[in-house]
Amino acid sequence: LPLTAGDLDTALREKALTVHYQPKVDMHTGLLRGVEALARWTHPVLGPVPPDQFIPLAEQSDLIEPLTLSVLDQALTQTAAWQTRGLNLSLAINLSPRLLECPTLVEHFSAQVAQHGLDPHQLVIEITEGSLAKRLDVALNRLARLRLRGFGLSIDDYGTGFSSMQQLARIPFTELKIDRSFVSEATQRPHLQVILRSALEMAHQLGLVSVAEGIETLQDWRLLQTLGCQIGQGWLIAKAMPGDDLHPWLRGHRQRLAELRGEAQDHAPNP
């Protein structure tokens, strides 16, 4: 059965799209700093539908706005619930470039954050690097207004676009997120290490928080630690999970902090 816009519209109206959360941790201490909200959809007949299938469908069928607002509301509700339990986290949410043309975008995000009792600086809005080429003037205006309201702005998938330097100079980003394609094989490919080192140094010089995604092995983690990356996410830390699973995961994660900090081998007994 082909996936249709009607299927997605029905799923949105029936609140069948849920949100999972992937932890983002401090690469120096291993401590949890925030989460990225990721939409999930299980079709009643087709089963789980990958985001790279339903997100483009949403963009093509004018459903990206209700989808994003649904994810935003669920994620803010969850973040507020964590906060009442003493867990203050940043929340990253992906924003389609199409929504940058929405005239009420800034006001809606501000109202939603306030309604949930959160602060704008807790929300980091991720914009894919390659998506900003079209209607740059409109995008600049919206992004500048979001930044003025206190929201964080992350340039996502850094290294995959073509006008990186110009965009970094013109847009008030607060975070640079390095694409997984530069992370996952860097330990075996020296030229990727050069790109990683360059991106991290530039982030440092520009005063941006550096984030690496796609960390899958301890070797990846160690390399990024050595290069000075600040925040990491990937399967080595955790896959995306339902909000209720975060506290149980956190209890287990605390047992790994010594290893992630590089302390485990320092205190290992001599053979």
Side-chain angles (χ1 to χ4, degrees):
L1 287 174
L3 200 62
T4 68
D7 293 333
L8 183 54
D9 186 40
T10 300
L12 285 167
R13 284 189 282 103
E14 295 179 350
K15 302 189 185 306
L17 262 79
T18 59
V19 180
H20 282 195
Y21 304 89
Q22 187 169 33
K24 298 169 69 174
V25 301
D26 185 303
M27 294 211 61
H28 181 64
T29 64
L31 296 174
L32 179 64
R33 291 291 179 236
V35 294
E36 179 180 358
L38 299 163
R40 294 290 183 262
W41 178 24
T42 301
H43 189 280
V45 177
L46 301 173
V49 182
D52 61 6
Q53 286 185 25
F54 70 78
I55 298 294
L57 180 63
E59 291 186 322
Q60 293 156 17
S61 53
D62 292 328
L63 291 171
I64 193 63
E65 183 175 355
L67 188 155
T68 301
L69 296 181
S70 171
V71 170
L72 178 66
D73 183 58
Q74 291 182 61
L76 289 173
T77 300
Q78 179 63 75
T79 303
W82 284 325
Q83 191 154 295
T84 62
R85 297 184 62 184
L87 198 55
N88 295 313
L89 299 175
S90 72
L91 171 68
I93 187 166
N94 294 281
L95 188 70
S96 165
R98 287 176 176 263
L99 288 185
L100 289 174
E101 300 190 14
C102 173
T104 59
L105 175 76
V106 178
E107 287 71 21
H108 193 95
F109 269 58
S110 297
Q112 282 283 86
V113 167
Q115 182 182 327
H116 287 86
L118 299 172
D119 192 281
H121 80 264
Q122 291 176 260
L123 188 63
V124 178
I125 299 167
E126 295 191 1
I127 313 289
T128 302
E129 182 189 358
S131 72
L132 292 171
K134 299 175 183 176
R135 301 294 306 277
L136 185 59
D137 54 338
V138 176
L140 269 171
N141 178 274
R142 299 275 188 274
L143 292 170
R145 287 176 60 210
L146 284 164
R147 186 71 199 105
L148 284 169
R149 296 282 181 103
F151 294 102
L153 299 178
S154 175
I155 186 161
D156 196 10
D157 300 339
Y158 181 76
T160 60
F162 299 101
S163 53
S164 315
M165 302 301 287
Q166 181 188 27
Q167 288 172 5
L168 281 171
R170 295 181 65 187
I171 297 171
F173 287 109
T174 57
E175 179 181 286
L176 184 145
K177 193 168 191 183
I178 300 167
D179 187 65
R180 66 181 63 248
S181 61
F182 296 102
V183 172
S184 60
E185 297 179 25
T187 52
Q188 285 82 41
R189 299 170 67 182
H191 74 281
L192 289 181
Q193 294 180 32
V194 174
I195 295 170
L196 274 179
R197 185 177 286 108
S198 171
L200 291 167
E201 177 62 23
M202 185 178 63
H204 176 70
Q205 295 289 344
L206 293 173
L208 304 178
V209 175
S210 54
V211 180
E213 60 181 340
I215 301 174
E216 296 184 1
T217 68
L218 198 56
Q219 288 75 23
D220 295 339
W221 175 270
R222 290 275 180 261
L223 173 63
L224 287 157
Q225 263 185 330
T226 303
L227 295 177
C229 186
Q230 292 170 284
I231 303 290
Q233 71 181 99
W235 286 6
L236 174 70
I237 306 303
K239 296 185 179 183
M241 66 189 80
D244 288 346
D245 291 357
L246 190 70
H247 270 93
W249 167 80
L250 195 51
R251 285 193 290 272
H253 178 68
R254 289 191 182 113
Q255 309 303 313
R256 302 180 60 202
L257 291 180
E259 177 190 37
L260 294 174
R261 290 170 180 165
E263 297 168 0
Q265 63 267 40
D266 297 340
H267 299 115
N270 293 322

